[in-house]
Amino acid sequence: MSLIAHLTELRNRVGRALLFVMVGAAVSFWWYDHGLGEFIRAPYCGLPDELRYGGETGDCGLLITDVFGGALIRLKISFIVGVVISAPLWLFQVWRFLTPGLKRNEKRYGVAFVGASSALFALGALLAYLSLSAGLRLLLGLAGEGTIVALTAQDYIGFVLSLLVAFGVSFELPLVAVVLNLLGVLSHAALAGARRWIYFLTVLFAAFVTPTQDPFTMLAMATPMIILFELAIQLARIVDRRRARKAALDSFHALDDDEASPLDVAPSRLDESPDTPGEDERVLSTRSGR
């Protein structure tokens, strides 16, 4: 394709991706009054009464301090949720733009890539949502007695969304390692050799990314990420072994019909027990009369 054709393709793919995001945002805007807003407020409403402003009366409300606060919050939530629910569609557009530069066997990973990335993001967001209540209870409880905690809607919604997005994006990192291995950029040997550094940087990354800054939320992010990274390393091992076997078989196709195939002259290990003498030892003992 020419440069103009590439730019045209990029424009069409970006336009379709934005259209999918807009449709998802419109659905989320309608969904806000039909359970989405209550779903977001649920971790805060589940806190003890003394940690919520007006909790003694059984109310569960968030403060809005400006006229446009409610509209901006709803638009922000609608856009972010729209990006999330439309992720399989716009990620597929990204993949379709990249596939012309890939080999035929690499294109088959497209559906698996989109499905795995969506599932990992959803898993990370779900784990963040489940740990949100414990994090809020710990942080708000540190204020001590004699204080009244009154959260504004902007602060609380921003905190919840940042936590969900941080967990969701973080769970995509092991998938990036798998994709780089499938493309031949990152080998299993490199991943296995850097395993300790990967685990250390994962814990450090979780400590900086989590908005709550408490050890419970940090471990809730770091532990599944370490498990996913280990699965990525083992998957890279399988992929590299299959790639090596295929390369060994393909090397014979380049030989002429009258050319001898290369032989592996490396000595093989004998399956013998340490107490059983080898063939050479038996021959020497026979010749020496032992």
Side-chain angles (χ1 to χ4, degrees):
M1 296 175 64
S2 63
L3 178 61
I4 300 299
H6 278 294
L7 295 177
T8 303
E9 177 73 10
L10 177 62
R11 181 197 62 187
N12 295 335
R13 296 296 178 186
V14 171
R16 293 173 186 174
L18 292 178
L19 178 60
F20 293 140
V21 172
M22 291 176 60
V23 173
V27 173
S28 303
F29 191 87
W30 170 85
W31 186 22
Y32 186 84
D33 289 332
H34 297 78
L36 179 60
E38 183 178 355
F39 176 79
I40 295 176
R41 293 191 301 268
Y44 174 72
C45 295
L47 295 176
D49 294 341
E50 62 272 12
L51 297 180
R52 290 186 287 107
Y53 177 72
E56 295 81 1
T57 61
D59 297 331
C60 177
L62 297 170
L63 301 178
I64 295 180
T65 57
D66 58 274
V67 177
F68 297 101
L72 293 177
I73 289 173
R74 184 163 182 171
L75 290 175
K76 182 178 180 179
I77 293 176
S78 300
F79 176 75
I80 295 179
V81 176
V83 171
V84 173
I85 63 177
S86 63
L89 299 176
W90 60 260
L91 282 176
F92 183 74
Q93 296 300 317
V94 174
W95 182 260
R96 289 289 295 174
F97 179 75
L98 298 177
T99 47
L102 302 178
K103 299 178 181 179
R104 179 177 300 179
N105 60 336
E106 294 171 344
K107 295 180 181 180
R108 293 180 294 181
Y109 298 113
V111 177
F113 169 76
V114 173
S117 60
S118 303
L120 287 175
F121 189 94
L123 178 62
L126 177 61
L127 184 60
Y129 184 81
L130 295 177
S131 62
L132 181 60
S133 180
L136 285 174
R137 185 180 291 106
L138 175 62
L139 294 176
L140 297 181
L142 293 176
E145 298 180 357
T147 59
I148 299 177
V149 180
L151 297 180
T152 63
Q154 293 91 334
D155 293 338
Y156 175 75
I157 298 299
F159 170 77
V160 172
L161 293 179
S162 61
L163 188 65
L164 296 180
V165 173
F167 268 72
V169 173
S170 300
F171 276 46
E172 302 283 349
L173 297 180
L175 180 62
V176 174
V178 173
V179 172
L180 292 177
N181 175 258
L182 293 175
L183 297 178
V185 178
L186 194 61
S187 65
H188 166 262
L191 288 173
R195 180 184 276 112
R196 294 182 179 180
W197 280 104
I198 290 175
Y199 293 167
F200 172 74
L201 293 177
T202 298
V203 176
L204 192 63
F205 174 80
F208 279 98
V209 169
T210 50
T212 58
Q213 302 297 323
D214 64 282
F216 177 82
T217 307
M218 182 194 71
L219 292 177
M221 173 185 286
T223 303
M225 284 185 64
I226 290 176
I227 297 175
L228 291 174
F229 267 119
E230 184 60 33
L231 292 177
I233 293 174
Q234 298 305 321
L235 182 60
R237 180 198 300 270
I238 298 174
V239 172
D240 284 1
R241 285 182 177 178
R242 291 181 177 178
R243 186 180 289 129
R245 286 197 297 265
K246 185 177 184 299
L249 293 176
D250 293 341
S251 63
F252 291 98
H253 298 302
L255 301 176
D256 296 333
D257 294 338
D258 56 349
E259 184 178 356
S261 61
L263 299 177
D264 186 6
V265 297
S268 59
R269 301 179 60 181
L270 300 177
D271 296 332
E272 296 178 350
S273 61
D275 298 332
T276 303
E279 183 66 25
D280 295 339
E281 296 180 0
R282 290 195 293 269
V283 172
L284 292 175
S285 62
T286 303
R287 291 180 177 178
S288 61
R290 287 188 296 173

